[in-house]
Amino acid sequence: MRARLRGLRGTDERDLAAAPALITLAGERAAAVLALDRGTPFVQPLEAGPALFLNDHRLAAAQWLRDGDRMRIGADALTVHVDATGIVLESTADVGFAASPPAVPLTPPPPAPVPRRRRVGATYVLVSLAVLAVALWFVFSARMLYVDIQPAPDQVHLEGTIPALRLSEGYLALPGPYRLQATREGYRPLVRDIEITRADNQRLALALEKLPGYLSVETPGVTGATVSAGAVVKGKTPLAEIELPPGEHEIAVRAEGYADFSTTVRIEGLGRRQALAVALVRASAAVTFQSNTAGATLEVDGKQIGTLPVTAELAAGTRAIEIHAPGHKPWKQSLSVVAGEAQSIGPITLAPADGELRVESEPPGASIALDGRYAGVTPATLALEPGQDHRVTVSKRGYGTASRSVRLRPAEKRELRVALNAEVGEVTLKVEPADATLSIEGRTIGPANGRHQLPAAPALLEITREGFEPARLWVTPRPGFAQTLSVKLRAAGAPAAAALPENITAPDGTVMILVRPGRFTMGASRRDPGQRANEALREVDLARPYYLGATEVTNAQFQKYRANHRSGRYGSLSLETPSHPVVNVRWGDAAGYCNWLNEAAQLPAAYTGMAGAMGPVLPMQHGFRLPTEAEWEWAARHAGVVRPSRFPWGDAMPPAAKSGNFADRSIAGELADALKDYSDGFVATAPVASFRPGPGGFFDLAGNAAEWVHDYYAIQAAPSQPDPLGPATGKLHVIRGSSWMQASISALRWTYRDYGIEPRPDVGFRCARYATGTP
């Protein structure tokens, strides 16, 4: 049998004879299972799913489906049509079938009992006497129930273990539980469980509820206009049959370039259909543009208009204006156009275009400073304001510093190549045993004991001897500053000393907490409500201890690295408070911040390239970096706990008080999804460490800002290996943790995985680094 589901997503179809189908709501939320048993369709609710009603009865178990049934999942209504060709479910809500069959056990409803024929035998007289006795007993034991239902129903039934006797003014029934059912065309069926007591002349007054009405909206000559009922957007025109409760509703229609329209519509209800045709009036105004720059041209919303001066008829609303001229910087501005109000812009003077300077060095990978500010690493192309002298400084650890003065003409392109001279420092090694061998970056040098002239850059020294455990240590030689290091190799098999500090402090003042490694299962089971396809279970082995920032990087800290960064606003809400987490940063901005910390701490850089195209330096060294996804989940869900939980506060919704900064009721008017019964005290971001830390000592791993992590994003996990770094390449990066803008069951779980490439008002980061120089 074929099953078709028609909703806001369109029509989805499944073959129920091949596999059951999982009905999902908006956001791919699992709702109910649709299946067959002996050719007959039935619906089964999910244990942790939303409430499921059939013909206004809430289902606790599977139930057969019949033609004309009315199904409701939460607030979303569906109509059932069954015929020889299959079953059709129709809805005006955002419903659909899941991409894969449900992984839940199915329990079909029991078959309807088959009535048996009564045997008529010689005991007819005895049966008649028994019936008479029962009737007399019924008359003396029953009580009168008067029922008043408004408006008067078409049909009324009172059902109980022993049938009630219908009289003109009510019912005569034995004391006990009964179910009263009443129907009337245009009204919802009334179903009420009642208890008839032993009192005389009992009365029951009830009212039938009108069915909703259906309103279709058209805007002749205009398609795609947005229609709202009250504050809720219902869709775009032409809009067919939106469901509305009886009564008056404020209907608003908005379209780009047209005046807003609103009216009050009285919905009759009773399942009746009404139509509204709206003639939208175009809204525009004449805007004149002038420029002092010869050859300047105008673009509005990306469309070429003409050469200035020019007068353009622009649609009302906010327009994106760009003015271009050869050899000059483009002039960009947002312009608010009010219908019928003419404007004059200019005359506008365009600034000369920047020059481009390509900076290369030998060796590559040197840091560039432009007029004293960090500008990336070589090779790189810099934009220089023309007609001015600029100081370009190129430096690299272990090499000298070169500085050049450069002046470019407008739009000029030039190359600058700089050869840096190597610098060396003296390092004396005192090693036991004395005949140990020294290797640097995998290259054998010779005997370890004695003086060594080494490049003045961080280097990994490895000291080995047969029968002893190798020693690995990072050293940064300095010109003119002799260093002496004593190393005693540990005999093979001897116990290692575990003397790592529990906390260290990063150059930006962040406290870093030691996380000892371990083995754990990453991801979520398919049976976990809210689980997504990118959360597949896999075993992960973390072998290296690491440090992780106790708090997220704040606005104040990030602006010491990039003074002109602004976290901005979300609507009317400011995200700029210095103690709040920095947001609206790209992954490359976060990686650049880690490199800035490494430069301050004289540690090896973790990433290379410009901010828009940075990648990791492999093999990963022990400088500051973003935590890997595995490190993030281990610290968030497993560090310091006996049994990992589903949510940061436990295993069930809703969040406990003060669990973190999530989308609470204070922002319900700004976001589509919010926790109506939760308040965290902050509308947007909050100061870092405003809520209690997790068992590992970390703040805001849940809530406040979601966080960029080191890994490229992929749906399927890479092959298992110790200390996984994620896929080798990719365009998107993984985002972990919930934020102040999230409230769904799926997003608030520890295992939720997000991804992105662009800045977001709810995504920031924290830093990590290995605790030891080598595995």
Side-chain angles (χ1 to χ4, degrees), residues 682-717:
F682 300 94
V683 181
T685 54
V688 299
S690 294
F691 300 87
R692 61 179 177 270
F698 301 100
F699 296 90
D700 299 324
L701 283 170
N704 223 7
E707 300 175 11
W708 290 114
V709 296
H710 173 85
D711 306 36
Y712 286 113
Y713 173 77
I715 293 180
Q716 299 298 329

Side-chain angles (χ1 to χ4, degrees), residues 34-357:
L34 187 64
L36 282 182
D37 184 57
R38 291 170 294 207
T40 302
F42 68 90
V43 66
Q44 178 173 313
L46 298 177
E47 283 189 14
L52 176 62
F53 295 83
L54 186 64
N55 299 325
D56 294 313
H57 294 284
R58 180 164 184 172
L59 298 185
Q63 180 63 47
W64 301 113
L65 291 177
R66 301 289 185 264
D67 184 51
D69 282 348
R70 297 175 302 282
M71 190 190 310
R72 179 160 57 86
I73 304 174
D76 297 332
L78 300 93
T79 302
V80 180
H81 301 287
V82 181
D83 56 26
T85 62
I87 181 169
V88 178
L89 304 180
E90 292 188 347
S91 176
T92 58
D94 183 4
V95 296
F97 285 137
S100 58
V104 296
L106 297 178
T107 306
V114 178
R116 295 179 298 176
R117 294 183 179 179
R118 297 188 178 184
R119 294 182 179 178
V120 180
T123 59
Y124 175 78
V125 174
L126 293 177
V127 171
S128 299
L129 292 174
V131 169
L132 179 59
V134 169
L136 292 173
W137 169 78
F138 177 84
V139 169
F140 286 105
S141 301
R143 296 294 183 270
M144 191 65 190
L145 173 67
Y146 297 92
V147 179
D148 180 20
I149 302 177
Q150 296 297 327
D154 297 330
Q155 293 184 350
V156 182
H157 299 285
L158 185 64
E159 300 175 354
T161 304
I162 299 178
L165 180 61
R166 176 68 181 271
L167 302 176
S168 59
E169 64 273 21
Y171 292 89
L172 191 62
L174 292 173
Y178 288 84
R179 171 162 292 183
L180 178 68
Q181 302 184 43
T183 58
R184 179 185 172 98
E185 185 177 0
Y187 292 80
R188 297 187 186 278
L190 173 66
V191 180
R192 181 68 60 86
D193 290 327
I194 64 174
E195 183 78 20
I196 295 181
T197 67
R198 296 186 178 277
D200 294 330
N201 299 326
Q202 301 170 51
R203 297 184 179 276
L204 184 63
L206 299 171
L208 294 176
E209 180 186 353
K210 281 185 179 181
L211 286 172
Y214 299 91
L215 178 68
S216 60
V217 183
E218 293 184 355
T219 50
V222 180
T223 58
T226 301
V227 179
S228 301
V232 180
V233 174
K234 293 296 185 178
K236 296 183 180 295
T237 60
L239 189 60
E241 295 189 352
I242 57 174
E243 183 180 297
L244 295 172
E248 291 188 347
H249 295 268
E250 185 72 19
I251 305 298
V253 182
R254 295 180 177 86
E256 188 72 17
Y258 293 85
D260 291 349
F261 172 88
S262 65
T263 187
T264 299
V265 176
R266 174 172 288 278
I267 300 299
E268 298 177 23
L270 302 174
R272 295 174 183 171
R273 286 161 172 75
Q274 299 170 238
L276 175 64
V278 178
L280 294 177
V281 179
R282 178 169 287 280
S284 62
V287 183
T288 300
F289 297 87
Q290 301 180 63
S291 174
N292 291 329
T293 305
T297 59
L298 171 67
E299 286 184 10
V300 178
D301 295 336
K303 296 180 180 179
Q304 188 74 31
I305 303 299
T307 303
L308 275 63
V310 65
T311 298
E313 190 73 20
L314 303 183
T318 301
R319 309 268 73 84
I321 307 299
E322 292 190 22
I323 297 177
H324 300 266
H328 292 77
K329 295 180 181 178
W331 184 88
K332 301 180 180 180
Q333 180 176 304
S334 293
L335 178 65
S336 178
V337 179
V338 180
E341 294 185 8
Q343 299 184 59
S344 181
I345 307 298
I348 298 166
T349 301
L350 300 184
D354 289 338
E356 288 188 3
L357 181 66

Side-chain angles (χ1 to χ4, degrees), residues 31 109 204 229 231 266 280 304 325 330 382 416 435 444 567 633 725 728 743:
L204 184 63
R266 174 172 288 278
L280 294 177
Q304 188 74 31
L382 309 181
L416 175 63
D435 57 348
T444 301
S567 289
E633 185 164 328
L725 302 178

